[in-house]
Amino acid sequence: MTIVDIHPHIVSPDTDHYPITPIGGKRSDWSDKHSVDLETMIAAMDAAGVDKAAVVHSSTTYGFNCEYVADSIARYPDRLTGVFSIDVLAPDAVEKMKKWVGLNMTGMRIFSRGSTLKGAVLAIDDPAIGPCYDFAAEIAMPVVSNVTIDKFSQLENVLKQFPDTIHVVDHLGSADFSEGFDAARALFDLAKYPNLYLKVSSRNFTKARDQGNADSVLPKLVSEFGADRMAWASNYPANTGTLGDLLDLARGCLQAVSKNDQDQILGGTAQKLYPVLADNQSVTA
């Protein structure tokens, strides 16, 4: 099977060519203290047995300047694609989307909140974002957001209003399963929308392992959403551990579901979301 990671990050040591311009003015600790560059990422993928990746632009390093990811996928078109971020509230947002799509980036992430920001900086159902969702639907490009479960009413509004747009939510929306499934009801209520996909990230797998509930949480997610709407996201190197460690963590937790479901989550869904990462394809094909 092909292993695909849909949420690693890279940061260049060349700050002259790729200046540090974090969103909100504050750089994330991980990008400052233990980031990895393109070559280190490729070596980590080789060591871990990760075949391909959708590299997510680091907004807490570069703001909306996605040049490093774009330049990196141009060097490894057989293994990488890129997920860019823009100011989706700007009047020229769709033109910015076209710019990065023209540089062979095949996903967009709406960075609405983060550890370096004080609360959410936008609502993902803001009407001003509508043209971006429409354009993403037109070119069948997935839109990722890091909206959290307390704001899932916004996500549901978007799912309803833009049913032809593919939506992907980071980290299961930070849903908490420590006290059972009731607290995560807002997540499961969204399973009825076929245009919603889930990133099951290292953060989620770590909680499932530490809370000892992987045997219930993973089968529940698969039963509600289907493995073909769930994809592995390492969040390397923002998460602690090597890329191999994080893949092993996911594999361990996924023992609770069938082999076919494991294969789907660890690669199949990613290739569905990002067809350019399908076998025998490249971003320049």
Side-chain angles (χ1 to χ4, degrees):
M1 65 168 290
T2 300
I3 303 293
V4 184
D5 180 4
I6 66 166
H7 199 119
H9 300 288
I10 53 175
V11 174
S12 174
D14 183 355
T15 56
D16 291 328
H17 195 69
Y18 305 103
I20 306 301
T21 55
I23 188 170
K26 182 180 180 182
R27 186 176 184 179
S28 53
D29 289 342
W30 73 263
S31 75
D32 188 25
K33 305 298 184 185
H34 54 92
S35 61
V36 300
D37 62 9
L38 171 63
E39 287 72 22
T40 305
M41 177 63 70
I42 293 296
M45 290 170 63
D46 289 342
V50 175
D51 300 289
K52 302 187 180 189
V55 180
V56 176
H57 165 75
S58 174
S59 297
T60 59
T61 309
Y62 298 118
F64 298 127
N65 184 346
C66 308
E67 290 182 359
Y68 187 48
V69 173
D71 290 347
S72 297
I73 63 175
R75 290 185 55 194
Y76 292 91
D78 58 331
R79 300 191 69 179
L80 304 178
T81 190
V83 180
F84 63 85
S85 290
I86 61 167
D87 181 357
V88 290
L89 298 178
D92 64 345
V94 172
E95 293 306 310
K96 288 295 196 298
M97 292 175 71
K98 291 178 180 178
K99 171 187 174 179
W100 298 117
V101 170
L103 292 171
N104 295 315
M105 300 180 80
T106 60
M108 180 176 79
R109 186 187 191 205
I110 299 178
F111 194 81
S112 65
R113 62 190 302 126
S115 60
T116 62
L117 303 173
K118 293 182 179 180
V121 294
L122 59 83
I124 65 168
D125 60 350
D126 189 314
I129 308 175
C132 295
Y133 291 130
D134 285 335
F135 180 64
E138 180 183 330
I139 63 172
M141 183 181 70
V143 177
V144 181
S145 67
N146 63 349
V147 64
T148 49
I149 194 168
D150 58 309
K151 302 294 184 182
F152 271 8
S153 61
Q154 297 176 13
L155 178 57
E156 184 161 25
N157 288 339
V158 172
L159 293 167
K160 288 179 179 178
Q161 293 172 31
F162 302 94
D164 295 326
T165 304
I166 302 165
H167 303 273
V168 187
V169 64
D170 283 343
H171 312 302
L172 300 179
S174 298
D176 181 15
F177 307 102
S178 60
E179 301 297 328
F181 297 131
D182 286 346
R185 178 48 50 195
L187 173 65
F188 297 120
D189 285 346
L190 298 180
K192 61 180 176 283
Y193 297 101
N195 54 329
L196 177 63
Y197 290 74
L198 305 178
K199 283 187 187 179
V200 192
S201 73
S202 297
R203 184 184 306 176
N204 306 122
F205 286 121
T206 297
K207 286 184 177 179
R209 179 198 64 194
D210 293 349
Q211 294 170 358
N213 58 14
D215 287 351
S216 60
V217 170
L218 273 303
K220 175 67 172 177
L221 288 167
V222 169
S223 70
E224 295 283 346
F225 286 89
D228 61 343
R229 290 165 57 198
M230 299 166 57
W232 171 59
S234 73
N235 201 30
Y236 174 76
N239 254 81
T240 302
T242 67
L243 186 57
D245 292 336
L246 299 177
L247 179 56
D248 287 345
L249 169 66
R251 281 176 163 151
C253 292
L254 288 170
Q255 292 301 307
V257 302
S258 73
K259 180 63 166 59
N260 285 342
D261 289 341
Q262 293 174 40
D263 291 351
Q264 195 68 43
I265 295 167
L266 292 174
T269 302
Q271 293 180 312
K272 178 181 174 183
L273 289 169
Y274 302 102
V276 73
L277 296 179
D279 296 337
N280 302 317
Q281 297 293 314
S282 74
V283 294
T284 55

